[in-house]
Structures are given as C-alpha cells and as structure tokens.
C-alpha cells in the first residue's frame, strides 16, 4: 500500500480539508518514506501531525549512487531520531508486507 502526499487531503463540498489517510495505524510500525530531492529513509513511525510532519525513530537513510543520483545503493547511514518535514514527504509506505521484485519491463540484453 503506497500513499502519495498529494492524496492526503481531500476537499469536500463544505470547503473543509479532511485527511484521507489515517497514519495512526502505522504508529510504532516500520515505514519507508521518500522525500523530495530523491532521499529515502526507513524507520519506526513515532508520530505525525496534520501537516504530514513525521517523527521517525531508528531511521536509516539509503545513500544514492554518486554517478546516478536517481538510484539508491545498498549503502546506508544511521540517522536515529529524525523529523521529516511534511512539505518534503512524497510517499509513505509500510515496510511490512512489501518485497522488492525485478522490473518486468526491462528488455533483456541483445533483444
């Protein structure tokens, strides 16, 4: 289940902003957060607010490839307790129940 920050608020006919996603079910669970600029961190969600500011504990940043900043590497950096500013949050995803698979759309070499 992936959640984009652009779908967090829904404008109802009354003009009120209501949150579409309730992050309460992810508190004290592992989440993966993608931030603007390409940074990617995982950690335990400890808290959040209506502006989508997130508090992550035991956060780990996945470092990017110096040759291709759009790719992450296997290298990580421990950050500890961090606050992700809501304006920088692009995606929130639970870490439980997700697996990385090979891209089925990549053409084999020589084809």
């Amino acid at each position: 289940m992936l959640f984009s920050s652009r779908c967090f608020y829904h404008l109802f006919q009354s003009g009120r902003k209501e949150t579409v996603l309730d992050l309460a079910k992810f508190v004290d669970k592992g989440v993966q957060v993608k931030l603007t600029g390409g940074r990617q961190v995982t950690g335990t969600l400890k808290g959040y607010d209506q502006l989508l500011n997130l508090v992550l504990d035991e956060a780990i940043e996945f470092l990017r490839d110096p040759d291709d900043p759009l790719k992450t590497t296997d290298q990580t950096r421990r950050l500890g307790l961090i606050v992700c500013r809501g304006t920088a949050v692009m995606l929130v995803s639970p870490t439980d129940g997700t697996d990385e698979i090979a891209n089925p759309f990549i053409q084999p070499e020589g084809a």
Side-chain angles (χ1 to χ4, degrees):
M1 198 178 331
L2 302 176
F3 305 103
S4 171
S5 64
R6 291 185 178 89
C7 71
F8 274 98
Y9 291 100
H10 182 262
L11 188 61
F12 289 94
Q13 291 176 352
S14 66
R16 297 180 309 145
K17 285 188 177 179
E18 298 277 337
T19 183
V20 172
L21 173 68
D22 184 18
L23 289 174
K25 59 186 169 188
F26 298 117
V27 172
D28 291 326
K29 294 191 170 107
V31 293
Q32 175 182 2
V33 180
K34 290 192 179 184
L35 304 167
T36 55
R39 292 178 111 180
Q40 182 175 329
V41 295
T42 61
T44 304
L45 182 66
K46 290 297 183 180
Y48 64 96
D49 64 10
Q50 70 275 12
L51 299 175
L52 201 58
N53 295 314
L54 305 176
V55 178
L56 300 178
D57 195 14
E58 301 172 4
I60 298 172
E61 177 184 9
F62 292 89
L63 300 177
R64 291 181 281 177
D65 186 348
D67 298 328
D68 186 359
L70 298 176
K71 290 184 180 179
T72 57
T73 64
D74 291 336
Q75 295 178 321
T76 60
R77 179 172 67 158
R78 292 195 173 280
L79 301 176
L81 184 68
I82 64 168
V83 175
C84 297
R85 190 165 181 204
T87 56
V89 173
M90 297 288 291
L91 184 97
V92 179
S93 165
T95 55
D96 290 340
T98 58
D99 292 320
E100 186 173 336
I101 63 169
N103 186 345
F105 301 105
I106 294 179
Q107 296 293 327
E109 293 292 325

